[in-house]
Every structure is written in C-alpha cells, then in structure tokens.
Amino acid sequence: MKGTFGLNTCPDTTRCISANLDFYIIDREHGRASLTEAAMLLASVDKKCKKFIRVSTCQRIEIQRVLELSPDGILVPQISSYEDALAAVDYTFFPPIGTRGLSPYTRGFNFNHSNLSDKKTKINQELKLGLLIEGKSGFDDMPLILDNLSEHLDLIYFGLFDFASSQGIDPDWENEHLCKLLADTISAASKKNISVGTIARTKRDIDILNNMGVTYIVYLNDLGILNEAMNEI
C-alpha cells in the first residue's frame, strides 16, 4: 500500500493528495494541526483511503483526544522500549485490553450511551495501532514487544531518518546495514501477522521496499511531494 504523511492544514490539499493513495497519515508530531484542524482533515481524506493520525507523543491525554476524532488508526512515535510500547497499547484500547477512558457522548459512540459494551468491543477490534520504532534501544526490545503485544498491533513503522541519525549513517536504502535491519524487522513481524511500514524518498526506494515486502510505503510527505513537483517544473 502507498501513502504519505500530511503536514498541511488545508482540507482541499488533503483531498487532492489523498485521492490516489491507499492511506493518509495526519502528522501531529511534525505538523502543526490542532485537534480541530485534524478533525477537518480527517473528513477531507479520500473515502478510499485509510485514515491515520500520528500522535504528537506517547501520552495518555494526547492519544485519548486524537482517538475521540475516530480515525481508522493511530501511529505512536518515539517507541524506544518495551515499556513505551506497553503504554501505547494501554492508552489506545478500552478494557480489558487497556485503560482508555470512556465518554459515550463523543463521535465514536454517536454521542449517546446505548450499547456501550458492543461499541467498545467493536472499536477495540477495528482500531489499528502502529508503533514507530525509531532508536536502537527500540529495536533491541523488538522481540519482547512482538512476543507480548503482537495481537494488539497492526503496524511496526521503521523510522528511517531518526534511526540513521542515531547511528551516524546516511538515511539511504542502498545502505546494507539499514536494509538488513529492515529485513530482520519484516521477518520477525510477519511471523506475528504484523505489517511493516517505512518511508521512501525516491521512486527507486519504492521498488526496493516493495521487493523487500514492506506493506505500508510512505512516500515523502505532502509538502515534500509538492516541493518535488515544483522543482521538476
């Protein structure tokens, strides 16, 4: 599947860019979208696209407020330990899986308190959670994360730029060390039926990642795409 991160706050831009994508990720970690703007952007994403929000941080209130907007799923950044991953699961899901807070008078519950148990179960079953593993310590804890939390995870996202920066190497999918780590991640995740995603910087990267078996290929972000188009002109 192909998609991108969205940093813009213009609904028309979001609609235009998402029209030919499989998924679109509203980025609250690196973008400036308020919760009100994020809600408008969600409504503007093409209907064929899966709608994700990358939360700004792995904190209960941030995750709670973003989930009240009813995206298809969230991505939680800066996962550097098993404890971080456990917190992300805990904050994302209702009991008995996690400890997400409940207010029935919100969008996800159609603003009423009827059939609460069924609604919670449905949300827990359908909500997609992705973890952005962006440091060496996060990859060191990957076996523990996969062994204990896999049934609640939909996606492991390989944070190319942050990981390469932490290792003092170029963020380039021609790098054998990066490709091996990604291949190992794909192999381990696939055994637990978890998808893997990462970023492509070029069309050649897309081919490389496709051949490696990456499920969620993120091409640049919306502003990177626009900048690339203007440079070509």
Side-chain angles (χ1 to χ4, degrees):
M1 295 195 294
K2 309 298 188 300
T4 195
F5 286 108
L7 272 69
N8 88 90
T9 55
C10 172
D12 286 341
T13 303
T14 295
R15 183 175 298 278
C16 178
I17 290 180
S18 65
N20 294 302
L21 299 176
D22 301 305
F23 63 92
Y24 189 86
I25 307 165
I26 297 166
D27 192 346
R28 276 177 51 84
E29 183 189 17
H30 295 288
R32 298 191 302 270
S34 67
L35 289 170
T36 299
E37 290 167 331
M40 290 190 297
L41 295 172
L42 276 178
S44 301
V45 174
D46 190 273
K47 292 181 180 179
K48 299 186 298 294
C49 265
K50 291 187 181 297
K51 306 175 183 181
F52 294 91
I53 298 179
R54 173 156 67 174
V55 298
S56 62
T57 183
C58 185
Q59 291 184 351
R60 182 183 296 275
I61 295 301
E62 164 69 4
I63 290 174
Q64 176 78 52
R65 289 175 173 172
V66 165
L67 288 175
E68 297 294 8
L69 303 179
S70 293
D72 293 319
I74 62 170
L75 276 69
V76 181
Q78 302 297 336
I79 300 297
S80 60
S81 68
Y82 172 71
E83 288 73 24
D84 290 342
L86 184 62
V89 170
D90 186 48
Y91 302 158
T92 298
F93 295 102
F94 294 113
I97 299 172
T99 61
R100 176 180 169 184
L102 168 66
S103 170
Y105 309 111
T106 54
R107 179 183 299 187
F109 288 86
N110 295 320
F111 310 102
N112 68 78
H113 56 256
S114 63
N115 301 315
L116 283 183
S117 180
D118 290 343
K119 289 177 181 176
K120 286 191 297 180
T121 298
K122 186 172 187 292
I123 290 172
N124 274 356
Q125 290 174 342
E126 296 182 353
L127 185 63
K128 297 182 181 297
L129 173 60
L131 303 181
L132 283 80
I133 311 296
E134 297 178 295
K136 182 179 182 302
S137 59
F139 285 99
D140 290 342
D141 273 8
M142 182 76 72
L144 195 59
I145 292 171
L146 294 178
D147 284 345
N148 292 280
L149 302 175
S150 61
E151 65 179 305
H152 309 305
L153 302 179
D154 180 71
L155 169 67
I156 294 292
Y157 185 92
F158 188 113
L160 171 64
F161 291 105
D162 279 344
F163 182 82
S165 178
S166 72
Q167 299 299 296
I169 58 180
D170 291 333
D172 189 337
W173 288 122
E174 303 284 351
N175 183 291
E176 292 183 4
H177 175 64
L178 285 175
C179 283
K180 183 181 185 308
L181 182 58
L182 178 59
D184 290 345
T185 301
I186 293 169
S187 176
S190 65
K191 293 175 182 177
K192 300 292 187 178
N193 296 314
I194 299 173
S195 299
V196 171
T198 193
I199 195 164
R201 308 155 307 142
T202 65
K203 293 177 181 178
R204 174 168 171 73
D205 281 356
I206 292 176
D207 291 336
I208 292 172
L209 298 176
N210 263 329
N211 290 334
M212 292 184 70
V214 174
T215 305
Y216 287 84
I217 298 178
V218 178
Y219 185 63
L220 305 177
N221 64 23
D222 55 352
L223 302 182
I225 291 170
L226 292 173
N227 183 61
E228 184 179 71
M230 292 306 299
N231 286 336
E232 289 181 1
I233 291 172

